[in-house]
């Protein structure tokens, strides 16, 4: 399936914002105001932000609420408890489709994803249906402040995913990406069950199997300086088996 996007200026001029940036949060009170302020400072028009908070005990949602009066494009979805990264993004996708945004961006709250790269993601939509901000495009490594063990694990996971699934993506676990709305409309989101990093793998695989065009653009990933990583051993175990589950489902025609 080929992309039908035309070249457009960024940010879009006139009319309602057609870009939604989805930021899931859990205990990100030390980061959330920084990322929101930077995004809106760089792009005062043309996009909205949806923060999806899983009842953070550190008051993340209250900080977002306090910022809303001066930021009409700032939305907050509060959930009843910690339900996982995958379900947060799926809730955000449904919201984006309901509100008819044209482009939907995934982004972390911890400033590891540079807001200045948002135009590169959206610009890549001229020739793609899903654009991934890649740390490893063309076998390079663009990571700052990561421990060596974390980097090795990430690279091994990327190679493992490519080998098992065949998906032509150098950084399949990246959480900085932009979807065209038609892509999300074509997927049965109720069938997406993964969490953590495996959620990113599953979404990429499903998009690829639908025949959409995936493009990677280089980014520099900078590890968080405050707050705690949400990565768990459960996330790692899930990522190990999810690639086989996806491959088997695909062969059986059950995706």
């Amino acid at each position: 399936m080929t992309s039908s996007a035309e070249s457009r200026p960024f940010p879009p001029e006139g009319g309602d914002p057609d870009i939604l940036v989805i930021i899931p949060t859990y205990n990100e009170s030390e980061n959330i105001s920084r990322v929101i302020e930077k995004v809106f400072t760089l792009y005062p028009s043309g996009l909205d932000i949806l923060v999806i908070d899983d009842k953070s005990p550190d008051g993340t949602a209250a900080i977002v609420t306090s910022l809303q009066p001066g930021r009409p494009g700032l939305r907050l979805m509060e959930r009843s408890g910690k339900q996982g990264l995958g379900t947060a993004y799926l809730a955000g996708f449904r919201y984006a489709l309901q509100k008819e945004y044209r482009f939907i961006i995934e982004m972390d709250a911890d400033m590891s994803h540079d807001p200045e790269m948002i135009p590169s993601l959206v610009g890549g939509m001229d020739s793609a249906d899903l654009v991934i901000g890649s740390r490893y495009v063309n076998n390079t490594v663009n990571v700052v402040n990561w421990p060596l063990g974390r980097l090795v694990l990430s690279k091994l996971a990327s190679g493992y995913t490519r080998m098992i699934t065949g998906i032509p993506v150098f950084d399949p676990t990246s959480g900085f990406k932009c979807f065209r709305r038609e892509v999300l409309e074509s997927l049965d989101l109720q069938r997406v069950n993964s969490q953590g990093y495996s959620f990113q793998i599953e979404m990429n695989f499903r998009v690829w199997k639908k025949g959409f065009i995936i493009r990677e653009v280089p980014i520099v990933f900078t590890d968080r300086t405050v707050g705690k990583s949400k990565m768990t051993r459960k996330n790692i175990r899930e990522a190990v088996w999810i690639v086989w589950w996806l491959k088997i489902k695909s062969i059986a025609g059950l995706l």
Side-chain angles (χ1 to χ4, degrees):
M1 186 175 298
T2 59
S3 171
S4 60
E6 70 277 10
S7 179
R8 307 186 63 191
F10 187 90
E13 299 174 353
D16 294 329
D18 59 2
I19 300 168
L20 180 67
V21 178
I22 303 173
I23 305 177
T25 57
Y26 184 76
N27 285 347
E28 292 290 355
S29 62
E30 296 174 287
N31 293 304
I32 191 60
S33 63
R34 290 196 305 151
V35 69
I36 289 172
E37 293 293 351
K38 184 165 185 181
V39 170
F40 281 130
T41 297
L42 290 170
Y43 319 112
S45 64
L47 57 75
D48 291 340
I49 294 176
L50 171 64
V51 176
I52 303 177
D53 187 69
D54 277 4
K55 204 174 180 61
S56 298
D58 71 347
T60 299
I63 293 173
V64 177
T65 300
S66 72
L67 296 172
Q68 285 183 303
R71 301 295 188 189
L74 178 58
R75 314 279 188 259
L76 173 64
M77 182 185 298
E78 295 185 75
R79 305 203 296 173
S80 59
K82 192 173 183 181
Q83 300 175 44
L85 181 70
T87 62
Y89 273 128
L90 291 174
F93 292 162
R94 294 186 181 101
Y95 174 90
L97 295 178
Q98 179 186 3
K99 299 298 182 180
E100 299 184 344
Y101 288 95
R102 187 179 180 203
F103 300 125
I104 299 92
I105 293 175
E106 295 183 15
M107 186 174 178
D108 287 351
D110 60 8
M111 295 295 289
S112 59
H113 298 149
D114 186 353
E116 293 191 12
M117 293 303 301
I118 289 175
S120 293
L121 296 181
V122 177
M125 302 304 288
D126 287 345
S127 58
D129 303 295
L130 165 60
V131 176
I132 299 172
S134 175
R135 298 161 290 188
Y136 312 128
V137 66
N138 296 325
N139 287 317
T140 60
V141 177
N142 293 311
V143 175
V144 178
N145 293 336
W146 249 10
L148 180 59
R150 182 78 181 272
L151 176 59
V152 170
L153 178 63
S154 177
K155 283 287 289 179
L156 286 174
S158 298
Y160 174 76
T161 299
R162 284 170 58 90
M163 179 179 66
I164 303 302
T165 65
I167 186 170
V169 173
F170 288 99
D171 193 359
T173 62
S174 172
F176 195 20
K177 58 179 64 172
C178 181
F179 293 89
R180 188 180 305 282
R181 67 168 288 111
E182 292 84 359
V183 172
L184 297 179
E185 286 175 329
S186 76
L187 301 178
D188 185 352
L189 297 179
Q190 292 184 337
R191 299 177 72 90
V192 180
N193 298 307
S194 304
Q195 294 297 321
Y197 297 96
S198 60
F199 172 80
Q200 307 298 351
I201 295 171
E202 181 172 354
M203 288 298 297
N204 294 340
F205 188 79
R206 289 181 180 276
V207 170
W208 178 56
K209 280 297 182 180
K210 280 282 187 177
F212 287 105
I213 296 172
I214 301 176
R215 178 181 174 189
E216 290 180 273
V217 296
I219 63 166
V220 175
F221 179 93
T222 303
D223 196 19
R224 66 166 64 233
T225 57
V226 294
K228 295 181 179 179
S229 172
K230 308 303 187 296
M231 187 177 190
T232 66
R233 291 181 180 179
K234 180 181 179 181
N235 295 150
I236 297 172
R237 289 195 298 268
E238 184 183 41
V240 169
W241 66 259
I242 196 68
V243 295
W244 289 103
W245 181 84
L246 290 170
K247 186 177 182 66
I248 293 169
K249 285 278 188 177
S250 176
I251 292 172
L254 299 175
L255 272 180

